[in-house]
Amino acid sequence: MTFNDLGIIAPILKAIEDEGYTNPTPIQQQAIPILLKKKDLLGCAQTGTGKTAAFAIPIIQHLHAAYDENQRFRKKIKALVITPTRELAIQIDESFKTYGKNTKIQSAVIFGGVKQTAQVNRLKQGIDLLVATPGRLLDLINQGFISLRDIEYFVLDEADQMLDMGFIHDIKKIIALIPQKRQSLFFSATMAPAIVALSQKILGNPEQVTVKPQQTTAEKIEQAVYFVANEHKILLLTEILNQRNATSTLVFSRTKHGANKIVKLLDREGIKAEAIHGNKSQTARQKALSSFKAGDTKVLVATDIAARGIDVEELSLVVNYDLPNIPESYVHRIGRTGRAKASGIAISFCDAEERSYLRDIQKLIKQNVPLVEDHNYVDTRAELPPPKQGGGGGGRRPQGNQGNKPKKRPNTHKSAAAGGENKKRSFYRK
Ligand code: AMP
């Protein structure tokens, strides 16, 4: 299937061609025809699947068609996209500008953490389409700078992340301000009951499109897991970075504090890295991201939330320094590499205490992550018992590993591989 088969108008097709896209991704193939018919959509898809174009292209097309009929259009905001993070908001706005560059559609983006003046000035010039994070949107509505009464197209993006970040009340307030008669789009990587309940408040009688994680992770991303004790992770990371000479590596840490620590430790090893997380100012985050995109910083260390909006074309390697305790986050993380155009590599470090997380991840992605058994920092702690019968890992902690902090163990690296400790961990390959 090509983009020509989807009923997309010439100015947008030209912009897509300029981007170098040859074929629509699965979510684009499924969602674009539905959205062009102005139906509501419930999309179960993660970032990295091409979902932004899937919703942006039809909205641009509708707005463009309306322009021909009504020239006094621009003073009203007719489309609204809500997304949880600033990075993601900026990226979505850029996508609208890219795909809409041959049309008259004007878009703007607003998000918190920066002064509002420039954003307000842009709004005053008149826009058709607004991309926003919830807090700043409500703030500017309350100050009278934004009205939602002309909204015809509404997109709620990354709904699961919105709920995780506690935006539920803001979202409800926003929905109450939007006209009932509208086309609504709702995207989430996961569909837990709370998400489904929220979608029902927003959508009429939606069509549903699901792009399963395994379609995006398994096929394109080369994955590997290393069993390594927490205290050896930094040495292993250093070795991998040096060996691979990777140009742009995104390292995930579960906590902000952990991210800072990794940067400090890498620095000690002579590797320049920067951290990006919610405690950093918006300016610091944008600066770190720009220098990473420009290739000046080779390693970016991020927390899950901060990484949501990172879209770097040439991301060569993703490292899960900590395994996420929410399996869906693993899918989000590795989706940062192997974006629509590229194949990618995702490496995970797994301390003995994290093995239940690994089990949950493997269950979710319905595949085993290949284990690298021959490396210099193999964790030689005792083999773990198999999962409980009828099991569902469900965050169960491994047995035989007392307390939260692993004890300092004898130095296992260098000798471990040779010492026959490195036997097959077949239990994970069930
Ligand atoms: P998204 O899931 O919207 O974050 O998109 C992921 C990446 O895929 C972005 O960098 C897009 O520019 C790119 N992309 C989107 N659609 C296509 C396509 N049909 N072909 C190639 N790349 C695409």
Side-chain angles (χ1 to χ4, degrees):
M1 181 184 276
T2 67
F3 281 103
N4 277 315
D5 303 323
L6 293 175
I8 300 169
I9 52 173
I12 304 177
L13 281 178
K14 174 82 179 60
I16 294 170
E17 197 187 313
D18 290 350
E19 278 304 284
Y21 302 174
T22 46
N23 296 97
T25 64
I27 188 144
Q28 291 162 3
Q29 289 178 23
Q30 295 173 63
I32 291 174
I34 296 170
L35 295 174
L36 286 177
K37 284 187 209 140
K38 293 212 181 179
K39 292 195 173 145
D40 282 5
L41 181 82
L42 176 63
C44 187
Q46 61 186 86
T47 40
T49 54
K51 78 174 152 77
T52 316
F55 67 73
I57 290 169
I59 292 178
I60 295 168
Q61 185 151 330
H62 290 315
L63 292 176
H64 181 76
Y67 247 114
D68 290 341
E69 294 152 21
N70 183 356
Q71 293 295 326
R72 293 179 57 248
F73 215 44
R74 188 158 296 165
K75 296 292 167 209
K76 298 172 179 172
I77 304 173
K78 295 160 290 292
L80 173 68
V81 181
I82 306 285
T83 193
T85 67
R86 308 167 238 203
E87 288 82 3
L88 210 39
I90 291 170
Q91 211 167 286
I92 293 171
D93 180 52
E94 278 168 5
S95 295
F96 273 107
K97 289 185 166 61
T98 302
Y99 307 132
K101 68 180 183 184
N102 301 322
T103 70
K104 294 177 187 160
I105 311 307
Q106 295 284 320
S107 70
V109 58
I110 59 169
F111 44 83
V114 292
K115 289 209 179 89
Q116 68 177 47
T117 324
Q119 296 176 358
V120 169
N121 287 342
R122 177 73 191 96
L123 291 169
K124 282 179 181 163
Q125 288 166 10
I127 56 159
D128 305 294
L129 188 153
L130 181 64
V131 184
T133 55
R136 176 56 59 96
L137 175 64
L138 284 171
D139 201 3
L140 295 187
I141 290 173
N142 291 337
Q143 293 177 56
F145 291 118
I146 293 174
S147 159
L148 299 184
R149 67 168 178 258
D150 300 300
I151 298 295
E152 295 168 39
Y153 308 96
F154 174 60
V155 182
L156 183 78
D157 189 33
E158 305 269 337
D160 49 351
Q161 195 71 6
M162 291 271 197
L163 294 196
D164 286 353
M165 291 170 75
F167 283 137
I168 183 74
H169 297 297
D170 285 353
I171 293 169
K172 285 183 178 160
K173 280 186 208 157
I174 293 164
I175 296 164
L177 296 171
I178 304 176
Q180 291 279 336
K181 196 170 164 300
R182 59 172 193 247
Q183 183 181 22
S184 300
L185 289 63
F186 184 101
F187 288 95
S188 183
T190 53
M191 284 292 163
I195 315 263
V196 175
L198 178 64
S199 75
Q200 286 163 349
K201 286 201 174 70
I202 294 173
L203 301 168
N205 186 15
E207 301 265 342
Q208 191 163 342
V209 167
T210 301
V211 180
K212 292 214 170 65
Q214 60 265 37
Q215 274 180 275
T216 47
T217 61
E219 286 167 11
K220 290 170 27 197
I221 299 168
E222 190 187 322
Q223 301 168 65
V225 61
Y226 290 70
F227 286 170
V228 53
N230 281 330
E231 60 261 43
H232 296 144
K233 284 182 176 178
I234 198 69
L235 296 170
L236 181 58
L237 178 61
T238 307
E239 192 175 282
I240 288 171
L241 292 174
N242 287 334
Q243 269 170 8
R244 289 186 174 254
N245 203 8
T247 41
S248 57
T249 302
L250 181 59
V251 176
F252 279 95
S253 157
R254 212 177 307 137
T255 64
K256 298 168 196 170
H257 173 71
N260 289 338
K261 202 166 143 198
I262 296 167
V263 169
K264 217 190 251 171
L265 292 172
L266 282 179
D267 193 48
R268 231 181 263 166
E269 300 292 332
I271 297 172
K272 186 173 166 351
E274 282 192 78
I276 163 170
H277 54 65
N279 279 6
K280 301 242 165 184
S281 71
Q282 171 62 6
T283 322
R285 285 159 70 170
Q286 282 304 322
K287 219 174 121 217
L289 198 51
S290 306
S291 78
F292 184 61
K293 282 187 175 178
D296 299 334
T297 308
K298 295 221 162 27
V299 182
L300 195 64
V301 186
T303 54
D304 287 296
I305 288 177
R308 274 292 169 114
I310 297 174
D311 182 13
V312 181
E313 299 266 323
E314 302 292 323
L315 198 57
S316 45
L317 178 65
V318 163
V319 178
N320 292 308
Y321 193 89
D322 305 309
L323 275 181
N325 52 355
I326 301 165
E328 284 80 7
S329 296
Y330 176 83
V331 178
H332 280 304
R333 287 178 176 194
I334 73 167
R336 314 317 308 176
T337 181
R339 308 286 280 179
K341 279 182 224 160
S343 62
I345 299 170
I347 286 174
S348 300
F349 293 170
C350 179
D351 179 85
E353 294 225 323
E354 295 174 305
R355 292 190 197 179
S356 61
Y357 302 157
L358 178 65
R359 196 157 42 225
D360 293 346
I361 288 164
Q362 296 188 147
K363 228 168 110 188
L364 177 77
I365 62 173
K366 297 195 178 70
Q367 67 179 112
N368 288 323
V369 180
L371 177 67
V372 178
E373 296 179 273
D374 185 17
H375 67 89
N376 288 329
Y377 302 97
V378 174
D379 188 354
T380 57
R381 278 175 290 183
E383 197 67 24
L384 295 167
K388 270 187 194 140
Q389 289 296 316
R396 188 172 64 89
R397 291 248 142 202
Q399 308 292 304
N401 207 349
Q402 20 5 27
N404 285 332
K405 281 211 160 155
K407 271 196 194 151
K408 180 90 180 147
R409 286 170 302 286
N411 204 358
T412 52
H413 58 91
K414 300 286 179 198
S415 62
E421 302 276 358
N422 227 351
K423 63 182 189 286
K424 231 181 172 39
R425 266 81 171 161
S426 54
F427 132 63
Y428 284 102
R429 300 167 180 278
K430 245 178 57 127

